Amino acid sequence: MNLNGELENNKMTNPSLESQEFLTFVLGSEIYGIDILKVQEIRGYDSVTSIANTPEFIKGVINLRGHIVPIVDLRIKFHLERIAYDEFTVVIILNMSDRIVGIVVDGVSDVLHLGVNEIRPVPDIVSGIDTRYIIGLASIEDRMLILVDIEQLMDSHEMALFESAAVI
């Protein structure tokens, strides 16, 4: 079993994941889900203040009730084609480990309650992509839902680079 497989199995057998609610959102043709407990609020996309020398996926920052919040475009982070922001484009404000971050997505869908038996590990055949941020997969109707460990994704090396640049 590979390291990613072991990570996924540990997440799947974690008792805290017996039953969980996920906010689902759309990026392109895919549906993703994140732990609803990490979501602080959902807002329409508004202009951001750019910061020089940050990774391309960092759109900039906003002032949210006195907090400076970095805004991450998940389309760019996931290497998807860029689209023009429209009235459906939203920012999901996340509150994770005393840090607030906003993520730009194409739209939000629903809140789903999933039991541990409804969440499947990522198949080993998907070894060509980075699965460190994927908790698992679930079926909703006739489509697959990709469950993302948003806290791990936002704790990536690139986000640390942004925080260093923002402090300077």
Side-chain angles (χ1 to χ4, degrees):
M1 187 179 300
N2 65 27
L3 179 61
N4 287 338
E6 290 170 4
L7 263 169
E8 298 306 323
N9 288 338
N10 287 340
K11 289 178 186 175
M12 299 308 295
T13 58
N14 183 340
S16 66
L17 292 181
E18 295 261 339
S19 174
Q20 193 171 352
E21 287 187 321
F22 293 89
L23 174 68
T24 61
F25 61 88
V26 178
L27 279 178
S29 61
E30 302 299 330
I31 302 173
Y32 296 85
I34 56 175
D35 182 354
I36 191 72
L37 297 177
K38 305 290 183 201
V39 176
Q40 179 175 312
E41 65 184 87
I42 300 168
R43 324 165 36 96
Y45 182 81
D46 202 1
S47 63
V48 299
T49 302
S50 297
I51 296 184
N53 300 322
T54 58
E56 185 179 13
F57 62 85
I58 305 284
K59 297 302 292 181
V61 295
I62 62 169
N63 183 341
L64 181 65
R65 295 181 291 279
H67 295 281
I68 303 303
V69 178
I71 303 298
V72 175
D73 187 324
L74 283 189
R75 277 186 155 276
I76 298 170
K77 176 89 172 138
F78 290 169
H79 306 289
L80 300 174
E81 73 179 58
R82 295 179 191 209
I83 61 168
Y85 296 161
D86 60 21
E87 68 274 8
F88 300 110
T89 305
V90 296
V91 176
I92 302 171
I93 303 295
L94 305 168
N95 193 336
M96 310 171 300
S97 304
D98 300 325
R99 185 172 57 168
I100 300 173
V101 177
I103 57 172
V104 179
V105 299
D106 295 347
V108 293
S109 301
D110 206 353
V111 175
L112 293 177
H113 180 84
L114 297 174
V116 69
N117 58 338
E118 296 174 282
I119 301 172
R120 303 285 179 245
V122 179
D124 287 340
I125 196 162
V126 188
S127 61
I129 63 170
D130 189 355
T131 59
R132 289 178 294 166
Y133 312 121
I134 300 176
I135 296 171
L137 304 170
S139 292
I140 52 171
E141 297 172 8
D142 60 341
R143 301 194 57 200
M144 291 301 295
L145 171 66
I146 302 166
L147 302 174
V148 176
D149 183 341
I150 197 69
E151 196 153 349
Q152 174 126 358
L153 179 65
M154 293 296 117
D155 277 346
S156 70
H157 173 71
E158 295 139 327
M159 287 300 293
L161 289 175
F162 166 75
E163 289 174 355
S164 298
V167 170
I168 294 175

